[in-house]
Amino acid sequence: MILTLTNGSTFNVGYIRGDTGPTGPTGSGGGGSGSTGATGNPSGLYRRFLTTATNTTGITIGEIRVAGQTSLFYTFYIAENSHLNENQKTFIETWDDGTSSIPSQFYVKNRSGSVYAIGTFSSINTGVAAGVTYYTLVLNRQTPGTTFTILEDLFIDIVKTGDKGTTGNTGPTGPQGPSGPEGRLSGLAYIYNTTTSVPDENSPMSSGTLRFDNIASPTYIYMSQYSQNGSGVSGYVNTFDDSTSTHKGYIHIGVSGSNNIYILNLTGVTFLDGGIDSEFFQPLPDYFRLTVTAAYTGGTYPDGQAIYLSFNRTGDAGTQGAAGATGPTGPAGSGGGAAGTKTYSVFTPLDNEPPGTTFATIDTRNSISVLDFDPTVQESAVFRGIIPQGASFSSLIAYIWAMGSTAVTGDIIWGVEYEDLLIHDLDADSFATGITKAMTIASTSGFVTGITISSSNLDGITAGDPYRVRVYRAAAESGDTMLGDAELLAVEIRGA
């Protein structure tokens, strides 16, 4: 240590440091604890409730508005900028960007921390009003509605749901389940009836039933127009004979769980009137008659057996091939015969140009085209021809060939009418007065009967004229006594 004396001289003084002395006693003074600080604001986005308006007209920065305060849904309008004009867009638009299907929780509190509303988001959208960008938030409320106070400070807090987790690993394959019951056959469900007679008032066709005319080798299937469950099948069955091929397809009839099946070639489909009950004068059920030939028959079914009918259609007939080369001329005949009859036209069912209503329907019998005429409504067929040049006649004779569809007794009243196509506007029918005549049908089913009907009511038809002839069944006349459809085979027009 260096000391300096009063005279200015200096000298060094050495010393040795002693031990530290004991701590002195604590003084009696000292300051007290500071005062408690002010309560902080609740967490969340701060906005002020300034008006009870329930729309965004005139909304200002830092403002919140609400509609439906006491309903199940709140609609909040929240200004994008705070009261300090701080843009909080980035924060607000994170509220609904989670990938979980569980929505985030939404809390609205006042400055004291009291919760006014708790709920989940239904939607969040943005808009602009009076130059202020705002967000529209629809809240599915979970707490009772509360009415906010004007100039109240509100804090919106969001508890976001975490994003959806990644898909877990696929679990192990479970054990194989037991085999299901054997399915039924495909097709229309029917109840088999062992009756083989044609349906009539003594043995009418019951709904949902099917019968054969011969169980060993069926030629006809009689089936209700309704399946076992009561569903109408007419629209479907009527398509069975749509193929233009003579062979329309195959009918399959079988029983679930059995090899006892029938496979039948289908050649025609006819929808038949069931007739009238003579005792109670009520209509009997209509039915379908399918014309078939047996391809395979498995055996008999008991009465009441549940069976299933399905159909496999054949394709349409192919286009006609080119005509072959003309063959050589044959030798000359040995002599001429007598002069032929004055046949002017021959018409078959395929020549029919049916009227717009109450027309005879095309059908087949053993693959032969026929026209079916109803027993209760006057139905007709129209044929068109040309009288040959040089023909001389005062009347025309119509030769009609027909038979009963199912009946073997009774009379059919046939009528014919003529129309000259050269003297009328063809946009309307102008047939002359018709002539009718009774035909007694053959007593054996499938045999044809013919009659002639002569008429001089020709509507002015002369040689060379195109004409039409309308053939009709006068079903309303008392003399028409045959039950069931009449089947027209052919018509010939001769001069007399």
Side-chain angles (χ1 to χ4, degrees):
M1 179 177 179
I2 298 174
L3 296 179
T4 302
L5 300 180
T6 56
N7 59 4
S9 62
T10 63
F11 62 92
N12 289 328
V13 179
Y15 66 89
I16 298 174
R17 179 185 298 271
D19 293 333
T20 302
T23 302
T26 302
S28 60
S33 299
S35 61
T36 302
T39 301
N41 290 330
S43 62
L45 189 75
Y46 165 66
R47 293 291 186 270
R48 175 163 284 193
F49 185 72
L50 298 178
T51 175
T52 58
T54 57
N55 54 45
T56 58
T57 302
I59 191 170
T60 60
I61 63 172
E63 183 179 354
I64 183 171
R65 296 185 181 183
V66 62
Q69 293 188 51
T70 59
S71 69
L72 292 177
F73 296 94
Y74 280 131
T75 300
F76 287 100
Y77 305 105
I78 300 174
E80 181 180 79
N81 287 14
S82 70
H83 65 293
L84 299 177
N85 206 22
E86 298 167 327
N87 186 281
Q88 295 169 323
K89 170 181 178 180
T90 301
F91 172 56
I92 295 174
E93 291 186 351
T94 65
W95 291 355
D96 65 347
D97 62 1
T99 60
S100 174
S101 59
I102 302 173
S104 298
Q105 289 286 324
F106 184 96
Y107 295 82
V108 180
K109 299 172 286 187
N110 63 10
R111 185 173 290 280
S112 66
S114 298
V115 177
Y116 275 0
I118 301 175
T120 57
F121 280 121
S122 173
S123 64
I124 178 170
N125 298 288
T126 185
V128 177
V132 175
T133 301
Y134 62 90
Y135 288 88
T136 302
L137 289 84
V138 178
L139 175 68
N140 297 327
R141 182 174 55 78
Q142 298 174 354
T143 58
T146 301
T147 301
F148 303 132
T149 304
I150 299 298
L151 300 181
E152 187 170 18
D153 294 334
L154 299 177
F155 297 84
I156 301 99
D157 211 355
I158 302 295
V159 178
K160 290 184 59 178
T161 302
D163 288 341
K164 181 179 179 181
T166 57
T167 302
N169 296 328
T170 302
T173 302
Q176 181 174 341
S179 297
E182 182 179 355
R184 74 166 181 85
L185 294 178
S186 63
L188 302 176
Y190 277 86
I191 297 298
Y192 178 70
N193 188 325
T194 55
T195 303
T196 58
S197 61
V198 176
D200 57 20
E201 65 175 319
N202 296 317
S203 179
M205 177 62 68
S206 299
S207 178
T209 64
L210 178 150
R211 66 177 75 165
F212 297 143
D213 67 330
N214 185 324
I215 187 65
S217 182
T219 57
Y220 293 121
I221 299 173
Y222 302 107
M223 57 185 289
S224 168
Q225 62 178 314
Y226 300 100
S227 66
Q228 180 186 359
N229 64 6
S231 299
V233 300
S234 297
Y236 175 50
V237 176
N238 278 324
T239 67
F240 283 9
D241 60 353
D242 283 355
S243 172
T244 58
S245 174
T246 303
H247 171 54
K248 307 300 181 182
Y250 289 99
I251 297 287
H252 293 251
I253 296 177
V255 177
S256 290
S258 171
N259 292 326
N260 187 4
I261 63 173
Y262 282 75
I263 301 176
L264 308 168
N265 298 310
L266 176 71
T267 56
V269 177
T270 307
F271 184 71
L272 296 174
D273 188 329
I276 302 295
D277 186 312
S278 61
E279 181 178 358
F280 299 103
F281 300 100
Q282 296 295 320
L284 297 172
D286 298 337
Y287 60 93
F288 282 99
R289 184 188 68 197
L290 308 183
T291 304
V292 297
T293 58
Y296 175 82
T297 57
T300 61
Y301 300 131
D303 194 59
Q305 173 68 56
I307 59 176
Y308 299 93
L309 180 149
S310 60
F311 176 65
N312 293 327
R313 182 183 185 274
T314 57
D316 291 338
T319 56
Q320 182 174 342
T326 304
T329 303
S334 59
T341 59
K342 295 162 59 175
T343 297
Y344 296 154
S345 301
V346 175
F347 304 113
T348 72
L350 298 180
D351 298 315
N352 177 31
E353 297 178 339
T357 58
T358 60
F359 49 81
T361 55
I362 191 70
D363 195 5
T364 60
R365 188 156 184 168
N366 192 27
S367 302
I368 300 171
S369 297
V370 295
L371 288 171
D372 286 348
F373 291 77
D374 193 88
T376 58
V377 178
Q378 179 170 303
E379 294 181 340
S380 60
V382 179
F383 305 98
R384 175 165 49 92
I386 299 176
I387 301 296
Q389 296 288 345
S392 176
F393 58 93
S394 59
S395 61
L396 294 177
I397 303 172
Y399 284 71
I400 298 177
W401 306 93
M403 56 188 164
S405 177
T406 56
V408 293
T409 60
D411 292 342
I412 306 168
I413 304 298
W414 291 107
V416 294
E417 301 171 339
Y418 294 92
E419 179 188 47
D420 190 340
L421 296 179
L422 286 184
I423 63 175
H424 296 296
D425 178 357
L426 300 188
D427 288 332
D429 294 337
S430 300
F431 289 94
T433 303
I435 304 294
T436 60
K437 188 175 180 180
M439 167 195 283
T440 300
I441 65 166
S443 60
T444 302
S445 179
F447 281 75
V448 176
T449 302
I451 62 166
T452 61
I453 302 178
S454 179
S455 176
S456 58
N457 298 333
L458 303 181
D459 194 37
I461 297 172
T462 60
D465 286 356
Y467 73 102
R468 292 197 300 170
V469 57
R470 178 157 61 193
V471 179
Y472 60 93
R473 180 181 181 182
E477 291 193 16
S478 60
D480 191 296
T481 59
M482 191 196 78
L483 297 178
D485 287 352
E487 294 185 338
L488 179 70
L489 186 69
V491 176
E492 178 186 8
I493 304 300
R494 302 181 185 177

